[in-house]
């Protein structure tokens, strides 16, 4: 019985370690912050080789209703590679500006600060992990 209990505890510890490791990665489904019109999007972040990239998979109006958007299907960040504790750096596309920028993502639990800069001018948004 002791051996069986040890196996159960080991399996439980490995499962908890796996969940904790997932919390430290930007991979998953994210809800963006609202744009100037109050619209938000779901961004799916996945591994792209050694980096992480993200694509808009759904868009919603300020009332939370799905909307048709020309941005659905667009990649909004790519080449995001680890750059320190819970920090990733790469490139991001800002649809409203129709331009890409050097970008940084900083994970904070189930929140992620996404920041892009063009020279000294920076914009940021906090996203929430959905999955």
């Amino acid at each position: 019985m002791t051996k069986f209990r040890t196996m159960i505890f080991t399996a439980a510890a490995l499962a908890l370690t796996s969940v904790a490791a997932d919390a430290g990665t930007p991979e998953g489904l994210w809800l963006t912050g609202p744009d100037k019109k109050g619209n938000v999007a779901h961004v799916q972040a996945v591994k792209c080789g050694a980096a992480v990239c993200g694509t808009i998979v759904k868009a919603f109006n300020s009332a939370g209703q799905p909307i048709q958007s020309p941005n659905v299907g667009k990649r909004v960040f790519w080449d995001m590679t680890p750059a320190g504790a819970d920090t990733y750096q790469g490139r991001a596309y800002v649809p409203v500006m129709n331009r890409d920028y050097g970008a940084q993502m900083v994970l904070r639990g189930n929140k992620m600060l996404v920041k892009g800069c063009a020279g000294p001018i920076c914009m940021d948004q906090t996203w929430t992990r959905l999955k």
Side-chain angles (χ1 to χ4, degrees), residues 8-31:
I8 295 290
F9 288 129
T10 301
L14 287 172
L16 289 173
T17 302
S18 175
V19 169
D22 288 347
T25 176
E27 292 175 69
L29 186 64
W30 295 90
L31 173 66

PDB file of all heavy atoms in Angstrom, residues 8-31:
ATOM      1  N   ILE A   8       0.861   7.647  -6.148  1.00  0.00           N
ATOM      2  CA  ILE A   8      -0.215   8.645  -6.229  1.00  0.00           C
ATOM      3  C   ILE A   8       0.343  10.030  -5.938  1.00  0.00           C
ATOM      4  O   ILE A   8       0.070  10.983  -6.668  1.00  0.00           O
ATOM      5  CB  ILE A   8      -1.351   8.306  -5.229  1.00  0.00           C
ATOM      6  CG1 ILE A   8      -2.027   7.003  -5.619  1.00  0.00           C
ATOM      7  CG2 ILE A   8      -2.344   9.446  -5.123  1.00  0.00           C
ATOM      8  CD1 ILE A   8      -2.862   7.079  -6.871  1.00  0.00           C
ATOM      9  N   PHE A   9       1.139  10.176  -4.877  1.00  0.00           N
ATOM     10  CA  PHE A   9       1.707  11.471  -4.523  1.00  0.00           C
ATOM     11  C   PHE A   9       2.653  11.978  -5.604  1.00  0.00           C
ATOM     12  O   PHE A   9       2.668  13.159  -5.928  1.00  0.00           O
ATOM     13  CB  PHE A   9       2.433  11.423  -3.172  1.00  0.00           C
ATOM     14  CG  PHE A   9       1.492  11.320  -2.001  1.00  0.00           C
ATOM     15  CD1 PHE A   9       1.674  10.340  -1.040  1.00  0.00           C
ATOM     16  CD2 PHE A   9       0.413  12.185  -1.872  1.00  0.00           C
ATOM     17  CE1 PHE A   9       0.805  10.252   0.034  1.00  0.00           C
ATOM     18  CE2 PHE A   9      -0.450  12.096  -0.799  1.00  0.00           C
ATOM     19  CZ  PHE A   9      -0.267  11.119   0.161  1.00  0.00           C
ATOM     20  N   THR A  10       3.423  11.079  -6.188  1.00  0.00           N
ATOM     21  CA  THR A  10       4.336  11.471  -7.258  1.00  0.00           C
ATOM     22  C   THR A  10       3.548  11.962  -8.473  1.00  0.00           C
ATOM     23  O   THR A  10       3.874  12.997  -9.057  1.00  0.00           O
ATOM     24  CB  THR A  10       5.240  10.286  -7.661  1.00  0.00           C
ATOM     25  OG1 THR A  10       5.974   9.867  -6.504  1.00  0.00           O
ATOM     26  CG2 THR A  10       6.198  10.672  -8.767  1.00  0.00           C
ATOM     27  N   ALA A  11       2.495  11.246  -8.840  1.00  0.00           N
ATOM     28  CA  ALA A  11       1.667  11.653  -9.974  1.00  0.00           C
ATOM     29  C   ALA A  11       1.012  13.013  -9.706  1.00  0.00           C
ATOM     30  O   ALA A  11       0.964  13.880 -10.579  1.00  0.00           O
ATOM     31  CB  ALA A  11       0.598  10.601 -10.265  1.00  0.00           C
ATOM     32  N   ALA A  12       0.533  13.213  -8.488  1.00  0.00           N
ATOM     33  CA  ALA A  12      -0.096  14.488  -8.138  1.00  0.00           C
ATOM     34  C   ALA A  12       0.921  15.629  -8.195  1.00  0.00           C
ATOM     35  O   ALA A  12       0.625  16.713  -8.694  1.00  0.00           O
ATOM     36  CB  ALA A  12      -0.718  14.407  -6.747  1.00  0.00           C
ATOM     37  N   ALA A  13       2.119  15.390  -7.701  1.00  0.00           N
ATOM     38  CA  ALA A  13       3.165  16.419  -7.728  1.00  0.00           C
ATOM     39  C   ALA A  13       3.540  16.772  -9.163  1.00  0.00           C
ATOM     40  O   ALA A  13       3.715  17.943  -9.498  1.00  0.00           O
ATOM     41  CB  ALA A  13       4.399  15.949  -6.958  1.00  0.00           C
ATOM     42  N   LEU A  14       3.646  15.764 -10.031  1.00  0.00           N
ATOM     43  CA  LEU A  14       3.963  16.024 -11.435  1.00  0.00           C
ATOM     44  C   LEU A  14       2.850  16.811 -12.112  1.00  0.00           C
ATOM     45  O   LEU A  14       3.108  17.724 -12.898  1.00  0.00           O
ATOM     46  CB  LEU A  14       4.207  14.709 -12.183  1.00  0.00           C
ATOM     47  CG  LEU A  14       5.523  14.009 -11.866  1.00  0.00           C
ATOM     48  CD1 LEU A  14       5.565  12.632 -12.521  1.00  0.00           C
ATOM     49  CD2 LEU A  14       6.699  14.847 -12.306  1.00  0.00           C
ATOM     50  N   ALA A  15       1.606  16.502 -11.795  1.00  0.00           N
ATOM     51  CA  ALA A  15       0.482  17.231 -12.384  1.00  0.00           C
ATOM     52  C   ALA A  15       0.501  18.688 -11.944  1.00  0.00           C
ATOM     53  O   ALA A  15       0.295  19.594 -12.739  1.00  0.00           O
ATOM     54  CB  ALA A  15      -0.840  16.576 -11.987  1.00  0.00           C
ATOM     55  N   LEU A  16       0.760  18.945 -10.671  1.00  0.00           N
ATOM     56  CA  LEU A  16       0.819  20.314 -10.177  1.00  0.00           C
ATOM     57  C   LEU A  16       1.986  21.067 -10.792  1.00  0.00           C
ATOM     58  O   LEU A  16       1.863  22.246 -11.124  1.00  0.00           O
ATOM     59  CB  LEU A  16       0.937  20.335  -8.647  1.00  0.00           C
ATOM     60  CG  LEU A  16      -0.330  19.924  -7.896  1.00  0.00           C
ATOM     61  CD1 LEU A  16      -0.051  19.826  -6.408  1.00  0.00           C
ATOM     62  CD2 LEU A  16      -1.466  20.885  -8.171  1.00  0.00           C
ATOM     63  N   THR A  17       3.120  20.404 -10.963  1.00  0.00           N
ATOM     64  CA  THR A  17       4.270  21.038 -11.600  1.00  0.00           C
ATOM     65  C   THR A  17       3.946  21.419 -13.030  1.00  0.00           C
ATOM     66  O   THR A  17       4.298  22.486 -13.494  1.00  0.00           O
ATOM     67  CB  THR A  17       5.487  20.086 -11.580  1.00  0.00           C
ATOM     68  OG1 THR A  17       5.758  19.759 -10.227  1.00  0.00           O
ATOM     69  CG2 THR A  17       6.703  20.710 -12.203  1.00  0.00           C
ATOM     70  N   SER A  18       3.218  20.556 -13.744  1.00  0.00           N
ATOM     71  CA  SER A  18       2.836  20.839 -15.122  1.00  0.00           C
ATOM     72  C   SER A  18       1.921  22.054 -15.198  1.00  0.00           C
ATOM     73  O   SER A  18       2.086  22.912 -16.049  1.00  0.00           O
ATOM     74  CB  SER A  18       2.139  19.617 -15.728  1.00  0.00           C
ATOM     75  OG  SER A  18       1.665  19.922 -17.001  1.00  0.00           O
ATOM     76  N   VAL A  19       0.953  22.157 -14.294  1.00  0.00           N
ATOM     77  CA  VAL A  19       0.053  23.316 -14.278  1.00  0.00           C
ATOM     78  C   VAL A  19       0.838  24.578 -13.984  1.00  0.00           C
ATOM     79  O   VAL A  19       0.663  25.603 -14.631  1.00  0.00           O
ATOM     80  CB  VAL A  19      -1.075  23.111 -13.243  1.00  0.00           C
ATOM     81  CG1 VAL A  19      -1.842  24.398 -13.024  1.00  0.00           C
ATOM     82  CG2 VAL A  19      -2.019  22.013 -13.702  1.00  0.00           C
ATOM     83  N   ALA A  20       1.755  24.532 -13.024  1.00  0.00           N
ATOM     84  CA  ALA A  20       2.560  25.712 -12.693  1.00  0.00           C
ATOM     85  C   ALA A  20       3.432  26.118 -13.869  1.00  0.00           C
ATOM     86  O   ALA A  20       3.602  27.299 -14.148  1.00  0.00           O
ATOM     87  CB  ALA A  20       3.423  25.422 -11.466  1.00  0.00           C
ATOM     88  N   ALA A  21       3.975  25.141 -14.590  1.00  0.00           N
ATOM     89  CA  ALA A  21       4.826  25.462 -15.734  1.00  0.00           C
ATOM     90  C   ALA A  21       4.011  26.134 -16.832  1.00  0.00           C
ATOM     91  O   ALA A  21       4.468  27.059 -17.471  1.00  0.00           O
ATOM     92  CB  ALA A  21       5.498  24.196 -16.266  1.00  0.00           C
ATOM     93  N   ASP A  22       2.758  25.677 -17.043  1.00  0.00           N
ATOM     94  CA  ASP A  22       1.917  26.287 -18.063  1.00  0.00           C
ATOM     95  C   ASP A  22       1.616  27.746 -17.743  1.00  0.00           C
ATOM     96  O   ASP A  22       1.467  28.555 -18.640  1.00  0.00           O
ATOM     97  CB  ASP A  22       0.599  25.514 -18.203  1.00  0.00           C
ATOM     98  CG  ASP A  22       0.794  24.170 -18.876  1.00  0.00           C
ATOM     99  OD1 ASP A  22       1.880  23.948 -19.443  1.00  0.00           O
ATOM    100  OD2 ASP A  22      -0.132  23.352 -18.828  1.00  0.00           O
ATOM    101  N   ALA A  23       1.511  28.094 -16.456  1.00  0.00           N
ATOM    102  CA  ALA A  23       1.205  29.475 -16.065  1.00  0.00           C
ATOM    103  C   ALA A  23       2.333  30.415 -16.465  1.00  0.00           C
ATOM    104  O   ALA A  23       2.106  31.600 -16.649  1.00  0.00           O
ATOM    105  CB  ALA A  23       0.952  29.549 -14.564  1.00  0.00           C
ATOM    106  N   GLY A  24       3.567  29.920 -16.634  1.00  0.00           N
ATOM    107  CA  GLY A  24       4.709  30.755 -16.968  1.00  0.00           C
ATOM    108  C   GLY A  24       4.969  30.869 -18.456  1.00  0.00           C
ATOM    109  O   GLY A  24       6.007  31.355 -18.862  1.00  0.00           O
ATOM    110  N   THR A  25       4.045  30.433 -19.266  1.00  0.00           N
ATOM    111  CA  THR A  25       4.220  30.505 -20.718  1.00  0.00           C
ATOM    112  C   THR A  25       3.101  31.354 -21.324  1.00  0.00           C
ATOM    113  O   THR A  25       1.974  31.336 -20.831  1.00  0.00           O
ATOM    114  CB  THR A  25       4.208  29.103 -21.368  1.00  0.00           C
ATOM    115  OG1 THR A  25       4.287  29.267 -22.788  1.00  0.00           O
ATOM    116  CG2 THR A  25       2.967  28.313 -21.040  1.00  0.00           C
ATOM    117  N   PRO A  26       3.386  32.082 -22.385  1.00  0.00           N
ATOM    118  CA  PRO A  26       2.325  32.850 -23.031  1.00  0.00           C
ATOM    119  C   PRO A  26       1.424  31.995 -23.922  1.00  0.00           C
ATOM    120  O   PRO A  26       0.438  32.497 -24.453  1.00  0.00           O
ATOM    121  CB  PRO A  26       3.084  33.891 -23.850  1.00  0.00           C
ATOM    122  CG  PRO A  26       4.409  33.264 -24.118  1.00  0.00           C
ATOM    123  CD  PRO A  26       4.703  32.405 -22.923  1.00  0.00           C
ATOM    124  N   GLU A  27       1.742  30.708 -24.058  1.00  0.00           N
ATOM    125  CA  GLU A  27       0.902  29.848 -24.889  1.00  0.00           C
ATOM    126  C   GLU A  27      -0.483  29.733 -24.274  1.00  0.00           C
ATOM    127  O   GLU A  27      -0.629  29.621 -23.067  1.00  0.00           O
ATOM    128  CB  GLU A  27       1.523  28.464 -25.026  1.00  0.00           C
ATOM    129  CG  GLU A  27       2.810  28.466 -25.824  1.00  0.00           C
ATOM    130  CD  GLU A  27       3.448  27.103 -25.830  1.00  0.00           C
ATOM    131  OE1 GLU A  27       2.876  26.194 -26.463  1.00  0.00           O
ATOM    132  OE2 GLU A  27       4.493  26.961 -25.194  1.00  0.00           O
ATOM    133  N   GLY A  28      -1.508  29.795 -25.124  1.00  0.00           N
ATOM    134  CA  GLY A  28      -2.882  29.667 -24.656  1.00  0.00           C
ATOM    135  C   GLY A  28      -3.789  30.654 -25.360  1.00  0.00           C
ATOM    136  O   GLY A  28      -3.416  31.285 -26.347  1.00  0.00           O
ATOM    137  N   LEU A  29      -4.997  30.792 -24.833  1.00  0.00           N
ATOM    138  CA  LEU A  29      -5.985  31.698 -25.402  1.00  0.00           C
ATOM    139  C   LEU A  29      -6.099  32.927 -24.507  1.00  0.00           C
ATOM    140  O   LEU A  29      -6.293  32.800 -23.297  1.00  0.00           O
ATOM    141  CB  LEU A  29      -7.341  30.996 -25.516  1.00  0.00           C
ATOM    142  CG  LEU A  29      -8.444  31.775 -26.220  1.00  0.00           C
ATOM    143  CD1 LEU A  29      -8.082  32.020 -27.694  1.00  0.00           C
ATOM    144  CD2 LEU A  29      -9.766  31.018 -26.123  1.00  0.00           C
ATOM    145  N   TRP A  30      -5.994  34.112 -25.097  1.00  0.00           N
ATOM    146  CA  TRP A  30      -5.977  35.377 -24.363  1.00  0.00           C
ATOM    147  C   TRP A  30      -7.096  36.301 -24.825  1.00  0.00           C
ATOM    148  O   TRP A  30      -7.409  36.350 -26.010  1.00  0.00           O
ATOM    149  CB  TRP A  30      -4.631  36.081 -24.571  1.00  0.00           C
ATOM    150  CG  TRP A  30      -3.491  35.330 -23.999  1.00  0.00           C
ATOM    151  CD1 TRP A  30      -2.727  34.379 -24.627  1.00  0.00           C
ATOM    152  CD2 TRP A  30      -2.970  35.440 -22.679  1.00  0.00           C
ATOM    153  NE1 TRP A  30      -1.767  33.902 -23.770  1.00  0.00           N
ATOM    154  CE2 TRP A  30      -1.896  34.543 -22.567  1.00  0.00           C
ATOM    155  CE3 TRP A  30      -3.315  36.236 -21.572  1.00  0.00           C
ATOM    156  CZ2 TRP A  30      -1.159  34.400 -21.394  1.00  0.00           C
ATOM    157  CZ3 TRP A  30      -2.577  36.093 -20.407  1.00  0.00           C
ATOM    158  CH2 TRP A  30      -1.512  35.176 -20.327  1.00  0.00           C
ATOM    159  N   LEU A  31      -7.640  37.048 -23.871  1.00  0.00           N
ATOM    160  CA  LEU A  31      -8.605  38.104 -24.153  1.00  0.00           C
ATOM    161  C   LEU A  31      -7.844  39.423 -24.119  1.00  0.00           C
ATOM    162  O   LEU A  31      -7.220  39.759 -23.107  1.00  0.00           O
ATOM    163  CB  LEU A  31      -9.714  38.117 -23.100  1.00  0.00           C
ATOM    164  CG  LEU A  31     -10.706  39.282 -23.178  1.00  0.00           C
ATOM    165  CD1 LEU A  31     -11.526  39.203 -24.460  1.00  0.00           C
ATOM    166  CD2 LEU A  31     -11.601  39.284 -21.947  1.00  0.00           C
TER     167      LEU A  31
END
